[in-house]
Amino acid sequence: MAYLQSRETKKNSLARLESKLNLVRLLYQKGYTKEMVIQLFRLIDWLMILPKELKEQFQTELINYEEENKMPYITSIEEIGMEKGEQLGKLKNAKESVIEALEIRFENVPKTIVNSLNQINDLLYLKKLHKKAILIDSLVNFELLLHEQSTNN
């Protein structure tokens, strides 16, 4: 339903807002578990992207709906936001750790390396790069390592 609604409302943001709200309300009305609501909500949110101003309106209306209907899991949207924020924080810290290790070892880190690191959103890979940054013999070799990985993806 979310896919079909996103296609139907492609050029009408207000209609998309209403469709998205209706689909999320249906999740609650169907009696799904909290985990199912959150997983399905993520799918709907991914398929039915709203402009920033309507996204805020969507969040407000959803929170009001959850509060009015005494949902047992108020503000699932906030939980999802918190999870995303936590993940982004971990990624940012991991990137900073790699850069800091390179700065300690080699002083100046070229912008090309910093920009390449900022494009990476894989936490495990960033942790591996941190270890490599501590042990690698030169910035040139580190940059080659980054380039090899980006061509392998």
Side-chain angles (χ1 to χ4, degrees), residues 1-27 40-41 44-45 47-50 54 57-58 61-62:
M1 288 174 64
Y3 172 74
L4 294 174
Q5 290 296 314
S6 70
R7 286 182 53 127
E8 265 184 44
T9 60
K10 188 175 186 174
K11 295 181 180 175
N12 186 341
S13 297
L14 288 174
R16 179 169 288 190
L17 170 66
E18 285 305 313
S19 294
K20 189 172 180 177
L21 281 167
N22 289 334
L23 286 174
V24 173
R25 286 181 192 125
L26 273 174
L27 293 178
L40 290 168
F41 174 82
I44 292 168
D45 197 43
L47 287 170
M48 301 185 78
I49 297 169
L50 294 168
L54 292 181
Q57 183 179 344
F58 171 79
E61 289 191 36
L62 180 59

Side-chain angles (χ1 to χ4, degrees), residues 42 75-89:
R42 283 186 176 135
T75 62
S76 56
I77 193 169
E78 288 177 347
E79 287 180 23
I80 292 167
M82 287 174 18
E83 288 174 15
K84 284 181 182 177
E86 190 175 307
Q87 182 66 18
L88 289 174

Side-chain angles (χ1 to χ4, degrees), residues 52-110:
K52 185 177 180 178
E53 62 278 358
L54 292 181
K55 191 175 199 174
E56 291 169 5
Q57 183 179 344
F58 171 79
Q59 291 172 345
T60 301
E61 289 191 36
L62 180 59
I63 290 168
N64 290 339
Y65 177 80
E66 289 179 330
E67 288 172 353
E68 287 170 11
N69 291 286
K70 309 272 188 271
M71 295 298 167
Y73 35 89
I74 300 294
T75 62
S76 56
I77 193 169
E78 288 177 347
E79 287 180 23
I80 292 167
M82 287 174 18
E83 288 174 15
K84 284 181 182 177
E86 190 175 307
Q87 182 66 18
L88 289 174
K90 287 179 182 178
L91 284 170
K92 182 180 179 206
N93 288 340
K95 291 172 187 179
E96 288 172 354
S97 293
V98 174
I99 293 166
E100 183 178 20
L102 291 170
E103 286 174 340
I104 290 168
R105 302 257 344 271
F106 306 107
E107 292 186 28
N108 294 323
V109 179

